[in-house]
Each structure stands twice: as structure tokens, then as C-alpha cells.
Amino acid sequence: MKVALITGITGQDGSYLAELLLEKGYMVHGIKRRSSLFNTARIDHLYQDPQHKDQRFKLHFGDLSDAMNLTRIIKETQPDEIYNLAAMSHVAVSFDSPEYTADINGLGTLRILEAVRILGLEKKTRIYQASTSELYGGMPENKNEKGFYDESSPFHPRSPYGVAKIYGFWITKNYREAYNMFACNGILFNHESPRRGETFVTRKITRAVSKIALGLEDKLYLGNLDARRDWGHAKDYVRMMWMILQAEQAEDWIIATGVSTTVRDFVRLAFGEVGIELAFKGEGKDEKAYVTKCNHKDFQVKIGKEVLSVDPSYFRPTEVDLLIGDPTKAKNKLGWIPEHDLASLVKEMMDGDVALMKKDVILLKAGNEVLKQAE
């Protein structure tokens, strides 16, 4: 039985990867930070399943800032594969917490690599490092002849998050070359799902649109609507992570769809899932969106209602306008083909958040009923 160790297992990617590896018969160990809150909602179904609990799925308390504890966990678990998915992963927040971001995203990667080296596991343990499209910084001159970023495109990170991740990328490559480790970087472009964190723009959109459709919220506030991203489904991307560590040779890989979409069009798709069509008026910080049609019997929003406004406070100090990746290498060498497109991804996210917000409606009605009875 293969043994895998996943850092960041309570996150979106970690939870999907754990599911995939368990389906493939792995023993899965996960590292989670100690907190007074459980923060295990994405993996509770795995931990509570008698088939996995205390058998093929175990959690360990740890943190990428704690080298001694990481080394102990790796020594105890003796993993065949390590997937380093833990990170301070919010680009905008990295401007407010640059030192913490550098420690976790940069030095955290080094601590894992060094633990494997010190323990003499270079020949046994394969390592996947979650890298990021933010390495490229959206610089147009760094694209290939097709207008995409690929594995040979120069880096120009535009945030503390990207700068920290570039250290993680190069230290992984360095340990591969210096110690002959099977250590790979997966340069992930944006990937989403119903499990995406609530502060990320796609999930912020689907949650807010669901609330607006149900009458729980009036308006959505966003930053740069012209920003374009290469959005894929997290399930497709974690499958590629696994494929990377099954390859014959350790290399670095782009994980992307090769299709870019503006934030504005993502908003259109989300509203479309609840039967609402929009008209966008104005430019830049003055842009707004208004309801022009409402065709769903369960969601009735007034025609002409303003449902979106640009808030300049969401603009980044150094904005990245366009990120689109070239997945040619992954498709040709590993046979990786995404199974989800953007439309199905948005539908899945909207279905999940509408169901979630309907629960809030029920709770709100129940609370109002209690108040009436108390009066």
C-alpha cells in the first residue's frame, strides 16, 4: 500500500486529493494546524467514515513553520509521496502579511525538502510542490508565441505571495538537481470548486449572487472586472498532481485549461444560473451592473436593480490583468485532459451556494418566528 502525506489537507485541493488517493488505495496522512476551531469541514466525511477512520486516513497536528515537527511526522509516516499544498494562499492578503507569507510559502517548502534529505528518504519519497501562475505576474512580454505562459516562460511575480512561491519553486528544483530527489513543481493556474475559500473572488461571487437571488443581500462589490484568469476545476488539477508523481522523470509542469475569462463574464455566468441577465454600465471604478431580465420562478429580482458595483479598495497595489497557461506538455506527455469546463464549474458552485443560502433563509424565518412568539 502506498503512503501519501498531504500538507494543507483541510483546504480545497487537499480534500479533493485525499479523496482521489483513498480511491486509489493509498494510506493518507494529513497535516493540519492546531486551532481552537475544528476547520475540517471539507474532510469530515473522510475522517468519520469507518472505512477510513484510524485505518487509511489519519490527521497530524503540524505547521510549515515548525521544522522539527515536520521532520518527526515525515519520519513516523515514511511517505512514498508528499504533496505540499499548504500555503498562505490569498494574493491580496499577502500584501498585508508579507513576512508570514515568505516564511510559510518559501521556507516551509525548504523545511519539507530538508527533512526528506536529513532522514535519508531521497530515493523513497517523491515530492510535489504546489506552485502558482502568480510566478509569471501577467507580464505580456513573457508569453510564448501562442500568447500563453508555459514551462519556459520567464517569471516576474507581482505580489509577496508570488515572490515567496518563486523561492519554493527554485528550492524544489535545486534539491532535485543537487540531491537527485524526485521533486516536482506543479504550476497551477486558478482552480475553483464549491469548496473554494469564501474570500476568493469566484466563491465571493457565487455566494453573493445566491444571496441576491434569495433576497438576503442587495449588491456585490468587486475590484478589477477586466482581470482575466484561466479558471479550471480543482478536481482536474489534483488528478494532475497525482499524475506528476507517477511520471518516469521528475519535471516541472503547467496545470491550466488554456482558456481565459474576465471576472465580469464569470459574474454573468453566475447570475445566469439563477435566471438573471445583466447590463454593465460605466467604466473602471464607476462601472455598475443592473438586472435586465429575471427568468427563474424561484428567484425574483426587480428589473433595473443595481446588483454590482466596483470598489477601488479591492484593487491590488500591483495588478495582474491576464493569466493564461499552456497545458500542452501535460496533455502530450501525461495525457491529462480536463473533465470540467467553466460553465459546468460555475453551475456546480452556484448549485452548492444556493442550497447553502437557502438554509440561511430557513434559519432567518425560524428566528423571526421565535421573535414574534416572544412578543
Side-chain angles (χ1 to χ4, degrees):
M1 181 187 297
K2 278 190 174 183
V3 177
L5 176 64
I6 304 173
T7 70
I9 196 166
T10 60
Q12 168 188 253
D13 294 2
S15 64
Y16 282 125
L17 179 61
E19 289 176 351
L20 177 69
L21 295 179
L22 287 168
E23 289 173 2
K24 293 183 178 295
Y26 279 65
M27 172 71 202
V28 177
H29 295 271
I31 297 178
K32 72 179 293 288
R33 288 178 295 173
R34 173 70 181 93
S35 171
S36 57
L37 301 175
F38 286 114
N39 193 32
T40 56
R42 296 183 180 98
I43 57 171
D44 280 343
H45 63 293
L46 299 176
Y47 190 65
Q48 293 169 359
D49 188 339
Q51 180 182 354
H52 301 140
K53 188 175 181 181
D54 297 327
Q55 297 177 38
R56 292 198 296 114
F57 184 73
K58 292 186 178 181
L59 296 180
H60 306 260
F61 288 118
D63 194 288
L64 290 187
S65 65
D66 187 346
M68 184 176 294
N69 197 33
L70 286 173
T71 304
R72 176 187 62 78
I73 294 171
I74 293 171
K75 181 179 180 180
E76 289 178 359
T77 59
Q78 294 286 302
D80 298 292
E81 298 170 5
I82 295 177
Y83 297 86
N84 182 30
L85 310 184
M88 202 308 289
S89 57
H90 201 287
V91 176
V93 174
S94 75
F95 285 95
D96 297 322
S97 304
E99 182 180 351
Y100 175 76
T101 303
D103 185 30
I104 299 303
N105 296 5
L107 293 179
T109 306
L110 171 63
R111 292 177 184 118
I112 290 173
L113 293 163
E114 186 67 356
V116 170
R117 186 189 69 83
I118 290 172
L119 294 170
L121 298 175
E122 302 98 319
K123 304 301 181 186
K124 171 182 172 61
T125 304
R126 296 187 170 199
I127 302 170
Y128 172 86
Q129 165 62 16
S131 197
T132 172
S133 60
E134 292 289 333
L135 298 183
Y136 299 115
M139 305 304 287
E141 63 270 24
N142 292 344
K143 297 176 187 176
N144 62 21
E145 65 279 1
K146 294 188 293 184
F148 296 80
Y149 296 103
D150 61 23
E151 288 82 0
S152 62
S153 298
F155 298 145
H156 191 130
R158 303 271 287 167
S159 65
Y161 170 80
V163 172
K165 279 289 190 177
I166 207 168
Y167 178 89
F169 176 93
W170 282 112
I171 199 64
T172 299
K173 192 176 182 72
N174 178 255
Y175 268 63
R176 180 170 74 221
E177 296 172 350
Y179 303 112
N180 198 29
M181 285 186 181
F182 198 104
C184 307
N185 289 288
I187 305 174
L188 282 73
F189 281 67
N190 296 68
H191 48 292
E192 318 299 320
S193 77
R195 299 181 189 177
R196 189 55 146 155
E198 297 170 2
T199 60
F200 290 85
V201 67
T202 53
R203 188 74 195 288
K204 179 181 176 181
I205 290 168
T206 57
R207 281 174 58 86
V209 172
S210 300
K211 287 183 176 181
I212 291 168
L214 291 166
L216 296 173
E217 191 169 291
D218 290 325
K219 188 162 44 170
L220 166 63
Y221 294 91
L222 293 173
N224 182 10
L225 298 180
D226 292 314
R228 302 183 68 92
R229 292 293 182 268
D230 184 336
W231 278 304
H233 198 300
K235 284 185 177 180
D236 286 325
Y237 285 37
V238 301
R239 177 166 50 87
M240 178 58 182
M241 294 176 192
W242 175 78
M243 294 173 73
I244 286 172
L245 291 195
Q246 313 315 306
E248 293 183 6
Q249 183 178 346
E251 300 180 64
D252 303 319
W253 304 81
I254 291 281
I255 310 179
T257 69
V259 178
S260 73
T261 307
T262 63
V263 173
R264 184 184 296 102
D265 284 339
F266 193 101
V267 171
R268 289 186 195 276
L269 286 170
F271 271 101
E273 287 299 320
V274 287
I276 296 172
E277 295 183 18
L278 302 178
F280 288 81
K281 298 180 181 180
E283 295 181 359
K285 63 182 179 61
D286 297 318
E287 188 169 0
K288 301 179 186 298
Y290 302 87
V291 175
T292 58
K293 290 184 180 179
C294 189
N295 300 323
H296 198 296
K297 63 182 179 62
D298 294 331
F299 310 110
Q300 292 299 311
V301 180
K302 185 178 179 181
I303 304 301
K305 179 180 174 63
E306 180 187 324
V307 291
L308 181 146
S309 183
V310 170
D311 184 345
S313 69
Y314 290 121
F315 292 162
R316 298 176 187 172
T318 48
E319 192 68 50
V320 177
D321 291 324
L322 172 62
L323 287 173
I324 182 170
D326 185 350
T328 300
K329 178 182 174 182
K331 292 179 179 180
N332 291 346
K333 295 190 71 171
L334 295 182
W336 176 77
I337 302 294
E339 296 175 353
H340 304 80
D341 61 14
L342 183 62
S344 65
L345 169 62
V346 174
K347 175 175 172 48
E348 185 180 347
M349 293 180 70
M350 282 299 299
D351 287 347
D353 275 331
V354 167
L356 185 64
M357 298 312 157
K358 281 183 176 178
K359 293 180 182 178
D360 286 351
V361 172
I362 294 172
L363 290 174
L364 183 62
K365 289 180 178 179
N368 290 337
E369 187 62 31
V370 169
L371 289 174
K372 286 181 179 179
Q373 291 177 1
E375 292 174 353

